[in-house]
Amino acid sequence: MQRTIEIHTDDLSGEATRRLIAFHLAGMHDISPAESVHALDIDALRHPSLSVWSAWIDGELAGVGALKEMDADRGEVKSMRVDDRFRGSGVGRAVLRHIVDEARRRGMSSLWLETGTTADFAPAQRLYESEGFVVCGPFGGYALDPFSIFMTRVLSS
């Protein structure tokens, strides 16, 4: 039986969301050198250029994701994280598609992202590739880094 994934705008005040964001950030520091961690903490996610969504299954937080407005035409996917209990259940894909749809709704023409290069990040890379993202060079304030891969996707209307 497939369970329904509900996605809502998240104001980051809920304990479950705060815990998952902290867990995500700690996990990134566990598997990447500090200078290569680009995950955002709760305070950074509150920046006005960012919108955050949370995914829920049967009343339980299953994942989070954010969209950063880089400018009127470009957005960046940030802070994608699925709770370990829900990995492989389609939550990451649902959140990513929600972000893509929202970027289109806002009139953006492209999305960008940074993710890791180690084996821990292989599932994320496969997800992004399966949703039309392609490898590109660094963008925004990022620099070449052996622990980072950069991807982009053109958005059609």
Side-chain angles (χ1 to χ4, degrees):
M1 174 176 107
Q2 186 171 3
R3 299 186 291 181
T4 302
I5 301 168
E6 296 179 16
I7 299 176
H8 306 283
T9 301
D10 199 303
D11 67 4
L12 304 171
S13 65
E15 186 57 35
T17 301
R18 297 173 66 80
R19 240 187 350 263
L20 185 57
I21 296 293
F23 183 74
H24 173 61
L25 190 58
M28 295 301 97
H29 282 281
D30 286 346
I31 61 176
S32 300
E35 65 275 8
S36 298
V37 174
H38 303 290
L40 302 177
D41 64 16
I42 286 288
D43 292 333
L45 285 168
R46 285 197 166 106
H47 191 274
S49 67
L50 284 146
S51 299
V52 180
W53 294 274
S54 53
W56 299 81
I57 296 176
D58 298 332
E60 292 187 74
L61 178 63
V64 295
L67 171 63
K68 177 182 179 183
E69 290 187 23
M70 295 175 13
D71 56 44
D73 295 322
R74 299 178 310 144
E76 180 181 359
V77 177
K78 294 294 293 181
S79 297
M80 288 280 297
R81 176 63 193 213
V82 173
D83 185 289
D84 290 348
R85 297 170 300 151
F86 295 97
R87 287 200 170 181
S89 66
V91 170
R93 187 173 306 279
V95 172
L96 182 59
R97 287 180 177 174
H98 184 85
I99 291 169
V100 168
D101 289 345
E102 180 62 20
R104 276 194 191 107
R105 190 189 70 71
R106 294 181 186 187
M108 293 179 181
S109 59
S110 62
L111 276 175
W112 303 75
L113 63 86
E114 178 276 338
T115 192
T117 57
T118 64
D120 296 299
F121 294 95
Q125 290 176 22
R126 284 192 301 272
L127 169 63
Y128 298 134
E129 288 170 353
S130 74
E131 290 294 323
F133 284 83
V134 295
V135 175
C136 64
F139 61 92
Y142 293 106
L144 281 176
D145 179 342
F147 290 92
S148 290
I149 187 170
F150 306 97
M151 304 179 88
T152 188
R153 175 181 169 180
V154 173
L155 301 178
S156 54
S157 37

